[in-house]
Amino acid sequence: MSPSAGVAPPIAAFFATIGFAALAIFGFGFTSLLTDTDVLAEPALGQGAGITAMLVAALVFAATGYGAIRRGRYVGALWVAAATLAAYLVGIAAGGILTGADPAVAVGAVGDFAVSWYLLVLAVTAAVAAWAGIALGRTRASRPQWPWERADDEE
């Protein structure tokens, strides 16, 4: 049996993106519990801003994560995290404006998020998930096999 070429970049990016979204949502919830604050504390934004921000961040994470996985360099995780943070901030503003909030309120919410613990949670989550995706793409492991499936045992 030939050594595996690793997990295909699209599959590794898919799993990393799902992991990023799950970890970010968990991290936001846990941080909210610990700090007794809301992720987006401005009530005029509604839920649309948070949903839009997470969707935009996940899409940017997937796109930049795919590129980082294809390159196979772990430093790419930092660039993925930076792009994901920027996308989340833009998503807050865009989501707030799309849901009918005053643009000044939406931009203010971006500023509040940018100086909160939630930004750190999002940055760490994006970097860890991107690193895991890159590691998954670089692995040379193959699927597990039963002893009788191995080619060297057939002789």
Side-chain angles (χ1 to χ4, degrees):
M1 179 175 197
S2 65
S4 174
V7 177
I11 294 171
F14 174 77
F15 283 122
T17 302
I18 297 301
F20 159 71
L23 286 173
I25 291 168
F26 167 78
F28 284 171
F30 199 74
T31 304
S32 178
L33 181 67
L34 289 177
T35 62
D36 197 27
T37 60
D38 292 331
V39 178
L40 298 176
E42 180 56 50
L45 292 180
Q47 294 179 349
I51 294 168
T52 302
M54 186 54 76
L55 287 175
V56 170
L59 288 173
V60 168
F61 178 91
T64 57
Y66 174 73
I69 291 167
R70 284 188 56 220
R71 286 177 193 80
R73 307 254 188 252
Y74 288 113
V75 73
L78 298 176
W79 294 110
V80 172
T84 303
L85 288 175
Y88 194 87
L89 295 174
V90 168
I92 292 171
I97 292 169
L98 289 174
T99 57
D102 183 20
V105 171
V107 171
V110 169
D112 288 343
F113 184 87
V115 296
S116 70
W117 286 107
Y118 298 103
L119 185 81
L120 179 64
V121 168
L122 189 66
V124 169
T125 299
V128 167
W131 184 89
I134 294 166
L136 186 60
R138 287 177 54 139
T139 186
R140 299 294 179 239
S142 60
R143 67 177 182 81
Q145 293 181 332
W146 292 102
W148 57 83
E149 292 181 304
R150 295 189 187 114
D152 57 348
D153 289 342
E154 294 179 311
E155 298 173 15

